[in-house]
Amino acid sequence: MICRLCPRSCGAERTGTVGKGYCRMPEVPVLAQAALHHWEEPPISGMQGSGTLFFSGCSLDCVFCQNEKISHQDFGRAVTLPRLREICETLIRQGAHNLNFVNPTHYVHILAELLEEWHPPVPVVFNTGGYDNTDTLQRLEGKVNIYLPDLKHLDRETARRYSAAPDYPEIAQAAIREMVRQTGSCRFDDNGLLLKGTIIRHLILPGQVNQAKAVMDWVAREFGPGTVLFSLMSQYTPWGNLSAVPELNRRLRPGEIRAAREYMENLGLPGFTQERTSAKEEYTPPFDLTGI
């Protein structure tokens, strides 16, 4: 497999079980955890939880990543495609409202194959950092019900400094447009659970309230009322070695969270906000191969 799945287009030969390329992952899926997760947005987690499957490796290199153990350190275990389906079926039996594939960009080939013949009885969620090629996403059309992308940055220099991806703004905007094209407007069941649609996430970073406002402005301009939901996240926690970006080595101030929330309310963006108490390390899943 000569890989050009993500915008890095590194052309690595990921055939087999040896990790290669920018994501440092092999062709076969590598997972770090599979479990019911109760801390997603309400129409995703519901009462019983979202059936999350965390893939290891990443096509981004965000200095603030709270999933560093799997995104930077590559912790995880390789599984076969039949085993991946077994894991999904176990989560469904446990009562998962959906199958939530987290950080799946570099494994679109696996998801496309899994979902080609097997049609889960619950919605499929593609939970991504937003750094996705539109032609890669098109391989999932009709297979993914819910897209859950980040829109991290709209400034190229900020994207370079914090995520090593100066082209992130235009890539993510194009990707989100494609996601919304595929899913259409949000649809819910009688219990308020999301059946189909796109939720755009943005994590407020220290000193970056203006960036959060720019992201919200773009979403409000780009999509009509009721088309997408917006999730404003305030769970940022300083993580890892931030010596190269010391401005991120603090928690969000209450005034930053308040300013971003008020802006979202004034724009009339439908969606969700987090409490400041969400900024705790215990909200990061324990990557210990649970369910793998």
Side-chain angles (χ1 to χ4, degrees):
M1 171 189 175
I2 303 301
C3 188
R4 302 195 185 279
L5 287 173
C6 86
R8 303 286 181 186
S9 195
C10 68
E13 186 177 352
R14 290 174 60 200
T15 304
T17 59
V18 178
K20 296 179 180 178
Y22 195 94
C23 66
R24 307 169 305 282
M25 286 292 112
E27 182 179 16
V28 298
V30 178
L31 292 171
Q33 189 198 58
L36 297 179
H37 188 43
H38 296 274
W39 300 107
E40 304 285 36
E41 287 75 9
I44 300 292
S45 288
M47 296 296 294
Q48 296 168 195
S50 177
T52 52
L53 298 94
F54 286 86
F55 289 105
S56 303
C58 191
S59 56
L60 283 169
D61 194 14
C62 300
V63 296
F64 52 86
C65 184
Q66 292 174 282
N67 294 348
E68 181 182 25
K69 184 175 181 179
I70 63 173
S71 64
H72 294 172
Q73 300 174 19
D74 305 338
F75 174 81
R77 176 183 292 167
V79 299
T80 64
L81 186 60
R83 176 57 185 154
L84 178 61
R85 177 169 170 174
E86 288 176 358
I87 292 169
C88 292
E89 290 173 335
T90 297
L91 290 170
I92 293 170
R93 287 196 299 272
Q94 291 173 349
H97 292 303
N98 45 65
L99 291 175
N100 187 346
F101 295 104
V102 184
N103 190 29
T105 296
H106 48 298
Y107 281 120
V108 166
H109 62 294
I110 294 294
L111 296 187
E113 184 176 356
L114 172 70
L115 300 170
E116 182 65 34
E117 300 296 332
W118 180 55
H119 305 289
V122 297
V124 172
V125 182
F126 190 86
N127 185 339
T128 170
Y131 198 55
D132 298 280
N133 283 330
T134 55
D135 56 347
T136 300
L137 292 172
Q138 286 165 7
R139 296 174 62 175
L140 298 173
E141 185 161 8
K143 300 177 174 69
V144 167
N145 308 100
I146 299 166
Y147 282 102
L148 195 56
D150 292 335
L151 185 50
K152 299 177 186 289
H153 320 286
L154 286 184
D155 174 76
R156 288 179 62 89
E157 176 56 25
T158 303
R160 181 202 64 76
R161 180 170 173 79
Y162 294 156
S163 299
D167 59 348
Y168 179 92
E170 55 265 37
I171 293 290
Q173 287 173 312
I176 291 171
R177 291 187 187 104
E178 172 61 21
M179 294 171 188
V180 176
R181 184 195 69 79
Q182 288 185 25
T183 66
S185 298
C186 293
R187 292 195 292 109
F188 302 85
D189 70 8
D190 293 339
N191 296 313
L193 293 170
L194 189 61
L195 295 173
K196 195 167 186 178
T198 300
I199 301 177
I200 302 169
R201 287 173 161 174
H202 178 74
L203 176 66
I204 311 167
L205 296 177
Q208 293 289 315
V209 172
N210 284 340
Q211 187 73 191
K213 291 178 179 179
V215 166
M216 289 185 273
D217 283 338
W218 182 81
V219 173
R221 287 195 309 268
E222 189 72 21
F223 304 108
T227 303
V228 301
L229 294 172
F230 187 77
S231 181
L232 183 66
M233 306 174 75
S234 53
Q235 68 185 45
Y236 177 80
T237 304
W239 197 270
N241 182 6
L242 296 173
S243 58
V245 286
E247 68 274 17
L248 296 185
N249 195 20
R250 66 170 175 86
R251 295 180 184 269
L252 293 174
R253 299 186 179 107
E256 292 175 312
I257 298 172
R258 185 170 55 252
R261 280 183 180 172
E262 290 175 354
Y263 199 82
M264 179 178 170
E265 292 172 4
N266 290 336
L267 277 178
L269 276 181
F272 317 95
T273 59
Q274 287 181 319
E275 298 299 323
R276 191 167 184 258
T277 53
S278 299
K280 296 180 180 179
E281 292 182 8
E282 53 261 41
Y283 288 101
T284 300
F287 298 118
D288 54 6
L289 301 180
T290 294
I292 308 305

